[in-house]
Amino acid sequence: MTTIEQYIAQHATEHGGHIAMTDGKESVTYRQLWERIEERATWWSSRVERGEIVALRTRQTIEYLTDYFALHQCGAVAMPLEHDLPEERFAAISRRYAHYRAPEGVADVLFTTGTTGTAKGVMVSHDAILADCDNLISRLEFRPDTTFIICGPLNHIGSLSKVHPVMLQGGTLYLLEGMKDLSAWYRALDYGSGNSATFMVPASIRMLLSLSGNRLGAYSEKIDFIEAGGAALPPADMEALCRLLPRTRLYNTYASTETGIVCSYDYNVPSPKTSCMGTVMPRSRVRIDEDGRVVCGGDTIMSGYADEPEMTASVLRGGEIYTADQGYIDSEGMLHLSGRMDDVINIGGYKVSPVEVEDAAYGFAQVKDCICVAHESDVWGVVLKLIVQTADGCDLDRRGLARHLASRLERHKVPMVYEQADHIERTYNGKLNRKTYAEQK
């Protein structure tokens, strides 16, 4: 089979009474879901051409996913956009691609977050979607009895890529409107057979640990696995999850819209490795180039940026994606990330990754969140500044934090300037919004 929709049709025939999706109020079986998809595909077929890119406002609903699959079924390309995108911006994006027809085999156009530049429309093929499924199923072990809780937006690879293996395996999706209602999230855990799983960005994991850590621990037997992605998980949060959920598989996954799902690491082991993304998955390839850049290949990579051939050529060369991530592969074949090419800060000729400084800072009890940035000093030139949100809102112990960092980092990596902030700017998926702080300089 060559599309997810073909798998849904097969499940509708072979075990049509199994629940495919629920939002806690409405549920549909695979038979009902396939009937709805066919009905909507017929409706769309008279309105769109093959290869036409169709913008959809995402919602955490059965209705939205029905339309998403129906567009694939009639040969069109789905372009999921934020539900609350201003109408003028939504219309502008639709007009931008109105006359463009995607190459044969493209399923989706997904937009990158644009935290380090302009958001780009990434073309993802049906073949790449199935390759991502193979990677996720082989490593994370999605099963027909998996109930997967979708609590992130369905217009980005993080959550959308989990819809596909659940549908391929004939499991159940539980759709939630984010993590604002923790009671709803725990009700989702109580649903089904006891083989629950979910994908969460680090910001959501931090909120869960802060607001309901003890309650989470009671679900250790219920949660099969939790996958984290979108940004590095702070070591303190990794340790807390391992302690609360000793029987749960806990994954860091390396993925991007352009590369697909590439590596994964179960860190619920003795002495887990921080900033480790694990070993490469079966349908992917990873290498480090001479500049320390992570380069990805295999069947999961994008088809290109929609209607942007020059931009495509800048990152997709020889069948490989040249990412902006820096890293290394250790003796066990595990990928470690050390920052992004454009995030490295030059301090007196030394190249410093802000991620290394931030990871060390999380080990200081007062630090709830932080970001390391370059700072222009009248006396010393460019120095490191650490902006910190404290755990309890009290005044930051700057000297204590500096001593803590000095005991863990080389001298040139210890910040000279410390600043306290009410919050640290992050994107929807938990990544530090370095672009915002760069613009503030």
Side-chain angles (χ1 to χ4, degrees), residues 4-53:
I4 291 296
E5 291 70 35
Q6 290 172 350
Y7 283 93
I8 296 174
Q10 181 184 59
H11 297 320
T13 300
E14 295 181 354
H15 50 92
H18 187 69
I19 297 297
M21 300 179 190
T22 183
D23 60 7
K25 298 177 182 177
E26 179 191 12
S27 299
V28 293
T29 64
Y30 273 93
R31 185 180 300 111
Q32 292 168 331
L33 176 61
W34 182 241
E35 289 172 354
R36 293 188 186 191
I37 291 171
E38 286 192 305
E39 180 182 346
R40 291 299 291 169
T42 299
W43 186 89
W44 279 111
S45 293
S46 63
R47 291 164 173 80
V48 298
E49 299 178 5
R50 191 167 189 85
E52 183 174 344
I53 298 174

Side-chain angles (χ1 to χ4, degrees), residues 238-239 241-243 245-251 265-274 276 332 334:
M238 289 175 57
E239 293 171 6
L241 277 178
C242 292
R243 185 175 63 255
L245 303 172
R247 296 176 180 82
T248 298
R249 292 177 289 130
L250 302 172
Y251 291 98
Y265 171 57
D266 184 353
Y267 59 85
N268 200 351
V269 295
S271 303
K273 303 177 180 181
T274 59
C276 181
E332 298 179 81
M334 293 192 176

Side-chain angles (χ1 to χ4, degrees), residues 145-174:
D145 65 341
T146 296
T147 297
F148 199 93
I149 302 169
I150 298 285
C151 50
L154 289 169
N155 57 308
H156 290 288
I157 187 173
S159 290
L160 184 58
S161 65
K162 308 312 173 297
V163 169
H164 303 137
V166 174
M167 292 290 96
L168 189 151
Q169 289 288 74
T172 300
L173 289 173
Y174 196 114

Side-chain angles (χ1 to χ4, degrees), residues 187-244:
R187 284 197 298 273
L189 284 181
D190 288 326
Y191 181 88
S193 63
N195 189 40
S196 298
T198 193
F199 169 85
M200 303 178 77
V201 297
S204 294
I205 290 175
R206 172 63 62 88
M207 180 184 71
L208 192 63
L209 290 171
S210 299
L211 299 180
S212 64
N214 291 336
R215 186 177 181 185
L216 178 63
Y219 284 81
S220 181
E221 301 286 348
K222 183 90 172 178
I223 304 174
D224 183 25
F225 68 87
I226 296 176
E227 180 192 1
L233 195 63
D237 290 350
M238 289 175 57
E239 293 171 6
L241 277 178
C242 292
R243 185 175 63 255
L244 288 168

